[in-house]
Structure formats: C-alpha cells, structure tokens
Amino acid sequence: MLSVLRVHLPSDIPIVGCELSPYVLVRRPDLTVFADDVPESEPVDGLFLRYKWYRIQSDKKVAICSIHPSEQATLQCLGCVKAKIPVVKSYHCSPKCFSDAWQHHRVLHERAASAVNENGNEEEEIFGRFSNNTNNNNINQSLSSSQSLPSLTNGASTPLYPASVTQRNGGETWFEVGRAKTYTPTADDIGHILKFECVVVDVEMKSTVGSLNTVLTSRVIPAPSPSPRRLVSVTNADVATGNLDLDGRVSSSGTFTVLSYNILSDTFATSDQFAYCPSWALSWPYRRQNLLREIVGYRADVVCLQEVQSDHFEEFFAPELDKHGYQALYKKKTTEVFNGSIMTIDGCATFFRRDRFSHVKKYEVEFNKAAQSLTDALVPSSQKKTALNRLVKDNVALIVVLEAKFSNYGVDNPGKRQLVCVANTHVNVQQDLKDVKLWQVHTLLKGLEKIAASADIPMLVCGNFNSVPGSAPHALLAIGKVDPLHPDLAVDPLGILRPTTKLIHTLPLVSAYSSFARIGGGLGYEQQKKRVDPATNEPLFTNCTRDFIGTLDYIFYSADSLTVESLLELLDEDSLRKDTALPSPEWSSDHIALMAEFRCKPRTRRLVKKQNLEDRSKKKRESN
C-alpha cells in the first residue's frame, strides 16, 4: 500500500512571497521509496496524495518586529504613527532592539518630515504602499499579549485558494488557503501559523487511507524591504530621478542604464560562511524572490549578473526576467562543483530589454583555454602541469554586442546603427594569485581591443574583479597600464607578466563611479562624496561581510564614446544595520548592485577623440 513516511519543510520560517515546497517521502507497495508527487491524475495502485494548507488565525493579534521579523513585537514607536510611516516599520521586539536600531530608524522620521515640508503631504513612494492605520497613543508603547492590534499587511492580496472556515477551536480559526503541494504565503498570513496536511486517498472511494501527516510552520513574517536606492544625476547634481520601482523611471530616448551585480551563488551562501545571517534569509527560495524584486525594481536596460548557478539561470532568472521583457544570455564556468546530490556550476548572465536593444553577437571567453595556449607557447614541457595548476581556475567572461533601438546622434549621422559592447566577467577570487588575476584582466582587455579595432563601438566592462582599488588589475583597467614597480608584480612565479611593458591597453576606460568624485554641489552630492574613497575615487565598499569590507565590483566605460548621466546611490554603514553585514534579510547578496546611466556621444566628436587617443598610445609605445 502507498504510504507517507516523512513530511518536512526545508525552511524554518515562512516569508510572504516565498514559495513553501514540502518534502514528502513516500513508500510504494513494492517497498521502494521516492519523493515524487502522486497526483490524482496519475495514481499508484489506485491511490494518490491529497494536500491541504490552513492558516491558523488566533483571536489575539500579533505584531512583528520590524528589525527582527522572526520575533514578536513588544514596543511601538508613536513617532512613526504621527509621521504616517508604514505601521509595520514602527514595531520592535525589545527596548534594546529599538535603541540599537535608532540611528537607522530615525532616518525614516527625517525623510517623512522632509517629504511633508517639501510637498505638503507624505510621499508614500518613499516607503511603499502599506496599511498605516493604528489606534495606539504612546511613543514606546508596550504591547500586551491580550491587546488588539491592527492587522499587518504588506499590500492588498488575494488568497491562492478561496478561504473557508474549516474549524474553530479555543479562540483559533482554521482557514483553508490551498490544495496544492506548494503554497506561497500572502500578506493575509503575516503573524499566523500555517498547517500543511498530506494524506493518501483512494481514487475510487475518495476516502483517506492511513494516517494524516501534518506539519506546522512558525509564524509567517513579511518579506523585509530595504530602503530604496535612487539614481543620482552626475551631469546636473541638483536633479535626482527619485526612487525606483516597477512603475518608476524609464530611460530617455538617448540614454540607457547598465546594472552589474554579483548575486552570491546558493552554493556559497552557507551558514558556515555567513553565520550572522538568519538561516531563513540564506535559503534560496527566499533569496531568489528578494533578488528578483531588487533587480526588476532597478529597471535597467542591460543587467550583468555574476555567480548565477546554471540551474537557477534556466529554471528561474531567464523565465522570470523574460516576463519583464528581458532577453537572456549566459556563460557558465568550465568546471562543475559537487554540491550534495547534484552538480552545480555558476557563471555570468547578461540580460537586456528587448524593447531597447537587439542581440548582434556573442563572444565567450574561457580563461582555461587561454591558459592552455599560454603554457603551450611560453612554459617548458616539464613545468606545464605546475603552470596549468596555477592558471586554470575556470573563470569566464561573457561579451555581447547589442544594437540600440534608439539614437541621439541627430542630423550628423542619419540612420547610423548604434552598437554597444558589454563585457561581463567574474575574476578569480584567491588573494594569493595576484598574477592570475592580472593575467585574466589583461587577457579580457586584449580581446576587447580586437573588437574595438574592428568597429567604432562604445565599450562597457562590468563585473566582480575581486581586486581592490589601487591593485594591479584595477590600475590596468583604470589607467591602461601597470607601474613596473607595482608590488603586485612581485608575485609572478611563472613569468607570465614579463615584460611588464606589455601590461597596457588602448581602450579609454574610466570607472563610472569615479564620477561621484567629480560632481560639484547639489542634491545628494555631499552624501555620495562621503561614500567614495578620495584616494581612489571608487566606492568605499561593494562587498561587505564580517571578514571583509571593500570594493571589488566596477562598471568601466569607454570615455571617448559614452558619458555618465547618473549613478545608483551607494550604500553606507547607516543603510546597513550596524549590528550585521551582508547578506542580510534585506539584502540577499554579500555584494551591492552598481548601476549607471549612459549617453552615447555624437560620432563626429568620438572620431576626433579616438584619433587623439591612438596618437597618444602610439607615442606611449614608442617611449617604452
């Protein structure tokens, strides 16, 4: 007889918008065990599995701490209520929680006051659309367990299955909310426990067979929402485009935006590595939805992601971003990594909006192949194995040439095709392999030089270079050469960096975020200037963990053909809670996203600048 051996949920805490997919272990009559579904349409020996989900709703309302969403709230900030800040942001689980969060929390009050002063009413876009009705009258009011609180919601929602009262017992009401194996909690579930039932049913008789298997969840919590990040103009510092959301800014006809984001592969998102992050916030079902919300919210025209697992690309990111109008391209690393019972591998994924660009060409760079060619040419046979062991690290780059479906050239270039070349890469992470990092970056740049030589085309180089500002790879990208006395060059056991005079390129690349160091005065300037290192003109950090904080990610652009119009504002330590690091419940990667808005320069000016650059490069080579 078909029987259920075990039922459990992979995540300990259910979150709004994150699908719950129970693990159901079943035994067939022949005693074989499997975890596949047995629907009514495909019964086994006349039996199938029936599922039901219930919301257990108590007469006692429960408020959730805005800082620690797995904890019940005991305090409420009346300042939030008076300022009409979303009520869910006003709750705290303890006086210490409220005190520790105050530096970050008071920013909500300041923004609300600023919005009222400037516009005469609150800006709900700053905080999102939440219910903010309340009857509480104390600034730090203690919430007793018997006190009636407003129902907490994160927006209007419709249950996936029509709710019906199933049972009422001892002050609890059970609502049936689903009849599928999986269930996605809604805002109506916040603060309530969910119950999952699984039972074997006879197809003919429709009667249950064997015992009922049930699992109770913890209380459902709302999905934490990070503070919105704005685009800040660098061409007119008195103008900012405001907050970004799904209905927000749309690029003007002559500009386009590029996003670069290392999203943290699920393979590496372990509790051992990030012990400070709650386990539910590290789970892939939660992280993927949080990442998708963030990525889609930026509305970038081109999206470059790193550390995208191949299965996640195929099963999640490609189909989900397709719904939002993106076409997808992918290049996975060249060696798979064994993870439990499956083989997983990550790589670089580039997406572009079909209404803004069309795909022209794709180049795939495998640094392993380049390493093989290099050792064949330069390394004696007896040392090849050692050389390959050092150079073969499976990193890749994805280069795509896109044609814009817009133009800002005007009458001097009627009908001229506007092409853009976008490189997306993830350079080797090992800090003791400085020679390998530099060699990989140099190899990529020489490939881009060939593309640039074949066509007059703007270049964008995005990714996680695992190199801090001032390192040799960064110097090569930013200034086109490496000082022969640079300390990174001391690490070169294979001699692949010699002669150092070859470590140059002719692409006029500039770091997009260095523009923050060049803008003057105006809205957002002083705030952003504090988040840029004056010694390097790069962000203070793009990667923030307990073990490391610094900049590893960049967007470089060819300054002869593109200008930066605006940049996604940087985070600072006030934007991240002072008692944590990345990833966190709000931000689902250990890196932050970078985004820049560009405008193509008129071609006539570009050709003059290009000739000047070529002349300077020729003189540089002759002097060397």
Tab-separated table of all heavy atoms in Angstrom, residues 402-431:
chain	number	residue	atom	x	y	z
A	402	LEU	N	25.374	44.592	-28.693
A	402	LEU	CA	23.953	44.896	-28.801
A	402	LEU	C	23.751	46.079	-29.738
A	402	LEU	O	24.617	46.967	-29.836
A	402	LEU	CB	23.373	45.244	-27.423
A	402	LEU	CG	23.558	44.200	-26.316
A	402	LEU	CD1	23.070	44.756	-24.981
A	402	LEU	CD2	22.831	42.909	-26.659
A	403	GLU	N	22.614	46.079	-30.413
A	403	GLU	CA	22.241	47.230	-31.231
A	403	GLU	C	21.090	47.949	-30.559
A	403	GLU	O	20.061	47.348	-30.240
A	403	GLU	CB	21.824	46.809	-32.636
A	403	GLU	CG	21.431	47.992	-33.510
A	403	GLU	CD	21.064	47.599	-34.925
A	403	GLU	OE1	21.194	46.416	-35.275
A	403	GLU	OE2	20.631	48.485	-35.692
A	404	ALA	N	21.287	49.251	-30.331
A	404	ALA	CA	20.263	50.042	-29.656
A	404	ALA	C	19.091	50.309	-30.592
A	404	ALA	O	19.268	50.515	-31.795
A	404	ALA	CB	20.861	51.362	-29.173
A	405	LYS	N	17.919	50.308	-30.026
A	405	LYS	CA	16.714	50.650	-30.783
A	405	LYS	C	16.335	52.102	-30.544
A	405	LYS	O	15.180	52.486	-30.634
A	405	LYS	CB	15.564	49.720	-30.372
A	405	LYS	CG	15.815	48.263	-30.716
A	405	LYS	CD	14.634	47.389	-30.336
A	405	LYS	CE	14.886	45.938	-30.731
A	405	LYS	NZ	13.747	45.048	-30.362
A	406	PHE	N	17.344	52.901	-30.230
A	406	PHE	CA	17.156	54.333	-30.022
A	406	PHE	C	18.405	55.026	-30.527
A	406	PHE	O	19.439	54.400	-30.756
A	406	PHE	CB	16.941	54.651	-28.536
A	406	PHE	CG	18.061	54.173	-27.651
A	406	PHE	CD1	19.188	54.964	-27.420
A	406	PHE	CD2	18.014	52.917	-27.051
A	406	PHE	CE1	20.225	54.523	-26.619
A	406	PHE	CE2	19.043	52.462	-26.238
A	406	PHE	CZ	20.153	53.273	-26.028
A	407	SER	N	18.349	56.327	-30.710
A	407	SER	CA	19.513	57.076	-31.192
A	407	SER	C	19.434	58.499	-30.699
A	407	SER	O	18.354	59.064	-30.540
A	407	SER	CB	19.574	57.061	-32.718
A	407	SER	OG	20.630	57.887	-33.178
A	408	ASN	N	20.598	59.090	-30.442
A	408	ASN	CA	20.634	60.507	-30.084
A	408	ASN	C	21.679	61.242	-30.916
A	408	ASN	O	22.186	62.273	-30.526
A	408	ASN	CB	20.928	60.681	-28.586
A	408	ASN	CG	22.323	60.215	-28.220
A	408	ASN	OD1	22.915	59.399	-28.910
A	408	ASN	ND2	22.861	60.751	-27.126
A	409	TYR	N	22.012	60.666	-32.074
A	409	TYR	CA	23.059	61.259	-32.883
A	409	TYR	C	22.620	62.529	-33.604
A	409	TYR	O	23.393	63.435	-33.828
A	409	TYR	CB	23.543	60.246	-33.927
A	409	TYR	CG	24.473	59.222	-33.350
A	409	TYR	CD1	24.580	57.964	-33.922
A	409	TYR	CD2	25.245	59.503	-32.235
A	409	TYR	CE1	25.434	57.010	-33.394
A	409	TYR	CE2	26.102	58.566	-31.704
A	409	TYR	CZ	26.192	57.320	-32.290
A	409	TYR	OH	27.031	56.385	-31.772
A	410	GLY	N	21.361	62.562	-34.021
A	410	GLY	CA	20.911	63.753	-34.726
A	410	GLY	C	21.260	63.717	-36.199
A	410	GLY	O	21.474	62.676	-36.809
A	411	VAL	N	21.335	64.907	-36.803
A	411	VAL	CA	21.435	65.008	-38.261
A	411	VAL	C	22.803	64.625	-38.798
A	411	VAL	O	22.940	64.360	-39.991
A	411	VAL	CB	21.107	66.451	-38.715
A	411	VAL	CG1	19.665	66.789	-38.395
A	411	VAL	CG2	22.048	67.458	-38.043
A	412	ASP	N	23.836	64.590	-37.948
A	412	ASP	CA	25.167	64.310	-38.485
A	412	ASP	C	25.363	62.830	-38.804
A	412	ASP	O	26.283	62.466	-39.522
A	412	ASP	CB	26.273	64.791	-37.520
A	412	ASP	CG	26.220	64.086	-36.172
A	412	ASP	OD1	25.126	63.601	-35.817
A	412	ASP	OD2	27.256	64.017	-35.504
A	413	ASN	N	24.509	61.959	-38.265
A	413	ASN	CA	24.625	60.528	-38.541
A	413	ASN	C	23.249	59.901	-38.776
A	413	ASN	O	22.822	59.030	-38.027
A	413	ASN	CB	25.309	59.807	-37.373
A	413	ASN	CG	26.785	60.124	-37.294
A	413	ASN	OD1	27.577	59.607	-38.066
A	413	ASN	ND2	27.132	61.009	-36.371
A	414	PRO	N	22.520	60.352	-39.782
A	414	PRO	CA	21.175	59.805	-40.001
A	414	PRO	C	21.240	58.318	-40.336
A	414	PRO	O	22.041	57.888	-41.162
A	414	PRO	CB	20.651	60.626	-41.182
A	414	PRO	CG	21.886	61.104	-41.887
A	414	PRO	CD	22.907	61.324	-40.828
A	415	GLY	N	20.404	57.533	-39.645
A	415	GLY	CA	20.326	56.104	-39.940
A	415	GLY	C	21.493	55.284	-39.451
A	415	GLY	O	21.582	54.091	-39.750
A	416	LYS	N	22.423	55.888	-38.697
A	416	LYS	CA	23.604	55.174	-38.221
A	416	LYS	C	23.212	54.168	-37.144
A	416	LYS	O	22.500	54.487	-36.197
A	416	LYS	CB	24.622	56.172	-37.655
A	416	LYS	CG	25.843	55.524	-36.984
A	416	LYS	CD	26.721	54.829	-37.992
A	416	LYS	CE	27.962	54.249	-37.320
A	416	LYS	NZ	28.811	53.513	-38.268
A	417	ARG	N	23.682	52.903	-37.270
A	417	ARG	CA	23.425	51.897	-36.241
A	417	ARG	C	24.204	52.250	-34.970
A	417	ARG	O	25.377	52.599	-35.045
A	417	ARG	CB	23.862	50.512	-36.709
A	417	ARG	CG	23.096	49.961	-37.885
A	417	ARG	CD	23.720	48.638	-38.309
A	417	ARG	NE	23.440	47.561	-37.355
A	417	ARG	CZ	24.103	46.410	-37.343
A	417	ARG	NH1	25.107	46.194	-38.193
A	417	ARG	NH2	23.773	45.459	-36.483
A	418	GLN	N	23.531	52.147	-33.835
A	418	GLN	CA	24.201	52.376	-32.564
A	418	GLN	C	24.475	51.037	-31.897
A	418	GLN	O	23.562	50.375	-31.396
A	418	GLN	CB	23.355	53.254	-31.642
A	418	GLN	CG	23.942	53.429	-30.249
A	418	GLN	CD	25.329	54.036	-30.281
A	418	GLN	OE1	25.489	55.200	-30.635
A	418	GLN	NE2	26.339	53.251	-29.954
A	419	LEU	N	25.743	50.624	-31.927
A	419	LEU	CA	26.144	49.379	-31.278
A	419	LEU	C	26.771	49.670	-29.920
A	419	LEU	O	27.392	50.724	-29.720
A	419	LEU	CB	27.141	48.619	-32.155
A	419	LEU	CG	26.670	48.215	-33.551
A	419	LEU	CD1	27.784	47.497	-34.300
A	419	LEU	CD2	25.427	47.346	-33.479
A	420	VAL	N	26.635	48.718	-29.011
A	420	VAL	CA	27.252	48.807	-27.688
A	420	VAL	C	27.813	47.431	-27.353
A	420	VAL	O	27.136	46.417	-27.535
A	420	VAL	CB	26.231	49.234	-26.611
A	420	VAL	CG1	26.893	49.248	-25.236
A	420	VAL	CG2	25.633	50.590	-26.919
A	421	CYS	N	29.048	47.403	-26.882
A	421	CYS	CA	29.689	46.148	-26.478
A	421	CYS	C	29.735	46.095	-24.951
A	421	CYS	O	30.251	47.014	-24.302
A	421	CYS	CB	31.104	46.059	-27.047
A	421	CYS	SG	31.990	44.542	-26.605
A	422	VAL	N	29.189	45.026	-24.378
A	422	VAL	CA	29.118	44.875	-22.923
A	422	VAL	C	29.849	43.599	-22.507
A	422	VAL	O	29.495	42.499	-22.945
A	422	VAL	CB	27.658	44.807	-22.429
A	422	VAL	CG1	27.622	44.704	-20.908
A	422	VAL	CG2	26.868	46.016	-22.905
A	423	ALA	N	30.878	43.746	-21.686
A	423	ALA	CA	31.620	42.603	-21.153
A	423	ALA	C	31.198	42.374	-19.709
A	423	ALA	O	31.096	43.319	-18.918
A	423	ALA	CB	33.119	42.850	-21.230
A	424	ASN	N	30.965	41.116	-19.362
A	424	ASN	CA	30.516	40.729	-18.026
A	424	ASN	C	31.442	39.611	-17.550
A	424	ASN	O	31.547	38.570	-18.194
A	424	ASN	CB	29.063	40.243	-18.115
A	424	ASN	CG	28.511	39.774	-16.774
A	424	ASN	OD1	29.123	39.978	-15.729
A	424	ASN	ND2	27.346	39.151	-16.804
A	425	THR	N	32.143	39.825	-16.437
A	425	THR	CA	33.117	38.824	-16.002
A	425	THR	C	33.157	38.684	-14.489
A	425	THR	O	32.661	39.552	-13.750
A	425	THR	CB	34.531	39.177	-16.516
A	425	THR	OG1	35.414	38.068	-16.312
A	425	THR	CG2	35.078	40.396	-15.789
A	426	HIS	N	33.736	37.571	-14.047
A	426	HIS	CA	33.975	37.298	-12.631
A	426	HIS	C	35.395	36.750	-12.531
A	426	HIS	O	35.659	35.611	-12.909
A	426	HIS	CB	32.955	36.282	-12.107
A	426	HIS	CG	33.025	36.079	-10.624
A	426	HIS	ND1	32.272	35.138	-9.968
A	426	HIS	CD2	33.762	36.694	-9.662
A	426	HIS	CE1	32.533	35.182	-8.664
A	426	HIS	NE2	33.444	36.124	-8.465
A	427	VAL	N	36.311	37.567	-12.024
A	427	VAL	CA	37.735	37.230	-11.971
A	427	VAL	C	38.017	36.372	-10.743
A	427	VAL	O	37.304	36.426	-9.731
A	427	VAL	CB	38.572	38.529	-11.970
A	427	VAL	CG1	40.041	38.247	-11.709
A	427	VAL	CG2	38.391	39.262	-13.302
A	428	ASN	N	39.061	35.588	-10.815
A	428	ASN	CA	39.424	34.651	-9.750
A	428	ASN	C	39.498	35.331	-8.388
A	428	ASN	O	40.010	36.434	-8.250
A	428	ASN	CB	40.764	33.988	-10.083
A	428	ASN	CG	41.153	32.931	-9.066
A	428	ASN	OD1	42.075	33.124	-8.298
A	428	ASN	ND2	40.426	31.819	-9.043
A	429	VAL	N	39.018	34.624	-7.364
A	429	VAL	CA	38.875	35.213	-6.046
A	429	VAL	C	40.121	35.063	-5.174
A	429	VAL	O	40.336	35.861	-4.251
A	429	VAL	CB	37.666	34.584	-5.314
A	429	VAL	CG1	37.931	33.117	-5.008
A	429	VAL	CG2	37.335	35.349	-4.030
A	430	GLN	N	40.982	34.077	-5.409
A	430	GLN	CA	42.081	33.774	-4.486
A	430	GLN	C	43.078	34.926	-4.390
A	430	GLN	O	43.688	35.336	-5.386
A	430	GLN	CB	42.792	32.495	-4.932
A	430	GLN	CG	41.915	31.256	-4.789
A	430	GLN	CD	42.547	30.031	-5.410
A	430	GLN	OE1	42.198	29.639	-6.520
A	430	GLN	NE2	43.475	29.418	-4.703
A	431	GLN	N	43.249	35.438	-3.168
A	431	GLN	CA	44.056	36.638	-2.974
A	431	GLN	C	45.554	36.381	-3.162
A	431	GLN	O	46.314	37.327	-3.416
A	431	GLN	CB	43.798	37.211	-1.576
A	431	GLN	CG	42.372	37.705	-1.378
A	431	GLN	CD	41.952	38.706	-2.442
A	431	GLN	OE1	42.638	39.695	-2.691
A	431	GLN	NE2	40.818	38.443	-3.094
